Amino acid sequence: MEIIIRNAEASDLEELMRWREIVLREVFSIPAGENIDGLLVSNREYYRAALESGTHIACFACLEEKVVGCGGVCLYQEMPSPDNLTGQCAYLMNIYTTPAMRQHGVGKAIVEWLVQEAKHCGADKIYLEASEKAYLLYKQLDFDDMEGYLKYMK
């Protein structure tokens, strides 16, 4: 069983949106019947602009030409620092594998592909937010906890 990771292009927008809705509903526990049309419109606008500008790279994981997972990396610039000399950052996001394909290497293949893309774009700082389910996978792929971060909540 060979997992193929393919770059998602602007022409894949409808497929990207289908997967994004699945991810949003699962990650944020949004019930199937709850209307999230406004959120999806915002996500569609994000994809259109970011894919065109190159500030977002998305991918699909395919098994026998069937999409079984997805992922993306948001690229941005921050002020250079001792731990990020170039200032180029890569935030991995939207990493998802269908429940039936979990524990089969799909998530690992997606993350490895995204990390290589981020490195290719010059990112010195590559990070993500981990769910409890995926935490050990990310640790195995050389991600480490980032201490000292707080999130403004007001």
Side-chain angles (χ1 to χ4, degrees):
M1 150 167 92
E2 184 183 6
I3 301 160
I4 304 294
I5 306 297
R6 75 169 180 85
N7 189 47
E9 312 256 338
S11 61
D12 292 311
L13 184 59
E14 294 310 313
E15 185 77 353
L16 284 167
M17 289 303 302
R18 188 176 77 76
W19 281 91
R20 181 64 177 152
E21 181 172 0
I22 292 167
V23 172
L24 286 168
R25 289 190 183 280
E26 183 169 321
V27 170
F28 294 97
S29 302
I30 302 170
E34 188 174 323
N35 184 315
I36 59 169
D37 290 348
L39 180 57
L40 294 175
V41 166
S42 296
N43 275 260
R44 182 179 301 276
E45 290 170 4
Y46 168 83
Y47 271 135
R48 280 192 182 126
L51 290 172
E52 182 179 322
S53 70
T55 57
H56 187 91
I57 300 169
C59 69
F60 295 116
C62 303
L63 184 62
E64 298 176 359
E65 298 188 29
K66 180 182 179 188
V67 177
V68 294
C70 64
V73 59
C74 177
L75 302 162
Y76 67 94
Q77 188 74 29
E78 70 179 15
M79 186 175 277
S81 62
D83 66 340
N84 185 3
L85 295 175
T86 67
Q88 184 65 31
C89 298
Y91 174 65
L92 278 56
M93 59 188 299
N94 210 49
I95 299 165
Y96 181 82
T97 303
T98 58
M101 292 306 301
R102 292 178 184 160
Q103 304 298 316
H104 289 89
V106 176
K108 179 181 179 192
I110 292 168
V111 174
E112 289 175 334
W113 189 90
L114 291 171
V115 166
Q116 287 306 310
E117 288 296 307
K119 287 180 178 180
H120 178 73
C121 292
D124 284 337
K125 180 179 179 181
I126 302 171
Y127 66 105
L128 51 73
E129 292 178 64
S131 67
E132 278 186 43
K133 294 177 191 175
Y135 182 83
L136 288 178
L137 167 67
Y138 299 136
K139 292 295 278 186
Q140 291 169 355
L141 291 172
D142 296 324
F143 283 85
D144 205 357
D145 294 305
M146 292 173 59
E147 294 183 29
Y149 280 79
L150 300 172
K151 179 179 177 182
Y152 184 71
M153 300 297 292
K154 206 168 187 185

